[in-house]
Amino acid sequence: MASKGKENAEKLKDEFALLRSNALNRGVNDKQLGDIIKNRKSPETKVQRSSVDPAHRLHVLVLLLAVSVGLVVGGYKLIFAHMVTSPCMVKKCKIGNEIFRPRVNCSMCRDIFHATEAWNLSAEEFQEKYAFSIRPVLVKEAISNWTAMSHFSFKFFQKLYRETSGSLESVKMDQMFYPYETEFVSLADALNMSDERGAYLPGQKPWYFGWGTRHPEMRKKLRQYYQRPYFLPDDSETVAEDWIFMGGPGPGADMHLDYVKRPSWQAQIAGTKTWQVIPTPECEDVCHSFNITVRKGDIIVLDTNNWYHATFIHPGEVSICIGSEFD
């Protein structure tokens, strides 16, 4: 029976790959699939067959086949829930990645009960113990020399992006804006909120959002205020884009798994943020869930490809974080 099930799973994988290839050849893109998923999330939401072209219907079939494969291969109900609810995944349409995600070797996380805290972490120690492992590390007081800590704010980003030609359009074109639970549709929309709401004054509507920076001039301007983390080895390279996450007290990012190509770090420029970290489903009976509280001036290095994670912003100063990948 196990052999038969494995054979069926392999057949479904092949069919899924073929259907997806055909859909892409017909001109269907990932954004269109994401729109279909969002329309199907609620039982009350119906898509009229007559209004959906054949390529869209084909992509719906691809989605259903993908879910079937997921159930056959592992029965990951948690994964399916994240597929249709996580803003990261819907926006970037990472369904195939989630369904065919390589299983984690649970021996890697079995003895991890919390993040390791480190002060004055050397590049050699980081490289040896943490750089490419699943073990999270919280580097304390790591950015005291960054001028970002005294300059970055909602008003700072609002002014800088308005003054930098093409920077807002770049975020929109690259689909690198994450509204999370806000009503904003773009970074321009978010940075256009009132000064009172931007300052998170009492009685204002909550907000939390993030975005990426690929615009060359904007990257150059922002990097005047921060440097590569001091504990990265000299031969380590950072990618050409950084990510910024900003918002006030309350929920930040929903529980999700990332699909980045390299390890990543995130520096807490302002405020305090707690990360809730849980193992993947295949390791939930072996490994452990825990929280990591990152305070102003700290850097967290976490393998977000192998740990599900959600964030919560503490009351007080608006949280501002900046992060990037490295190799």
Side-chain angles (χ1 to χ4, degrees), residues 151-168 187-188 190-193 195 211 217-218 221-222 225 246:
H151 285 78
F152 282 9
S153 67
F154 172 79
K155 293 293 291 182
F156 171 88
F157 291 117
Q158 185 185 61
K159 183 175 185 293
L160 190 64
Y161 270 87
R162 287 176 177 176
E163 292 176 347
T164 307
S165 177
S167 59
L168 290 170
L187 180 58
L191 294 180
N192 197 42
M193 75 172 90
D195 291 346
W211 72 93
E217 185 180 354
M218 179 57 68
K221 288 182 177 180
L222 287 174
Y225 296 90
M246 181 168 60

Side-chain angles (χ1 to χ4, degrees), residues 116-121 125 130 137-141 230:
T116 299
E117 293 190 2
W119 283 261
N120 301 317
L121 182 65
E125 184 180 3
Y130 309 111
V137 58
L138 179 62
V139 186
K140 302 293 292 182
E141 302 175 3
Y230 74 88

Side-chain angles (χ1 to χ4, degrees), residues 72-292:
V72 171
V73 172
Y76 296 154
K77 295 180 181 179
L78 176 61
I79 291 178
F80 177 73
H82 289 310
M83 279 196 301
V84 297
T85 59
S86 170
C88 297
M89 295 179 58
V90 170
K91 191 163 183 76
K92 292 297 184 182
C93 220
K94 299 297 186 181
I95 292 175
N97 287 342
E98 183 76 358
I99 288 295
F100 301 114
R101 172 181 61 80
R103 291 174 64 86
V104 172
N105 180 350
C106 299
S107 65
M108 298 173 63
C109 59
R110 184 189 304 272
D111 297 323
I112 299 177
F113 298 90
H114 53 77
T116 299
E117 293 190 2
W119 283 261
N120 301 317
L121 182 65
S122 69
E124 292 76 15
E125 184 180 3
F126 177 76
Q127 179 81 5
E128 179 182 347
K129 294 183 178 180
Y130 309 111
F132 302 102
S133 76
I134 197 174
R135 182 175 294 277
V137 58
L138 179 62
V139 186
K140 302 293 292 182
E141 302 175 3
I143 59 173
S144 58
N145 63 327
W146 289 11
T147 56
M149 297 180 68
S150 59
H151 285 78
F152 282 9
S153 67
F154 172 79
K155 293 293 291 182
F156 171 88
F157 291 117
Q158 185 185 61
K159 183 175 185 293
L160 190 64
Y161 270 87
R162 287 176 177 176
E163 292 176 347
T164 307
S165 177
S167 59
L168 290 170
E169 292 77 8
S170 174
V171 174
K172 183 176 182 179
M173 180 179 65
D174 294 331
Q175 296 186 346
M176 296 178 70
F177 176 68
Y178 293 88
Y180 296 107
E181 299 302 317
T182 68
E183 77 280 13
F184 306 127
V185 297
S186 67
L187 180 58
D189 188 27
L191 294 180
N192 197 42
M193 75 172 90
S194 67
D195 291 346
E196 292 77 15
R197 189 178 178 191
Y200 236 93
L201 296 181
Q204 297 297 314
K205 189 176 180 181
W207 55 270
Y208 182 88
F209 56 86
W211 72 93
T213 60
R214 284 182 182 166
H215 189 270
E217 185 180 354
M218 179 57 68
R219 288 205 315 270
K220 183 178 179 180
K221 288 182 177 180
L222 287 174
R223 291 185 179 185
Q224 295 176 10
Y225 296 90
Y226 59 92
Q227 298 79 44
R228 188 179 67 167
Y230 74 88
F231 51 81
L232 293 184
D234 292 338
D235 60 353
S236 176
E237 297 182 359
T238 55
V239 297
E241 64 189 46
D242 295 335
W243 291 91
I244 301 169
F245 302 94
M246 181 168 60
D254 293 331
M255 187 65 67
H256 67 286
L257 202 67
D258 290 338
Y259 295 95
V260 293
K261 295 180 181 180
R262 303 172 180 85
S264 59
W265 55 268
Q266 189 176 122
Q268 192 74 28
I269 305 296
T272 302
K273 176 190 290 187
T274 289
W275 295 60
Q276 180 187 7
V277 179
I278 65 174
T280 54
E282 65 269 24
C283 298
E284 61 185 6
D285 295 329
V286 177
C287 299
H288 311 275
S289 300
F290 50 90
N291 291 341
I292 307 171

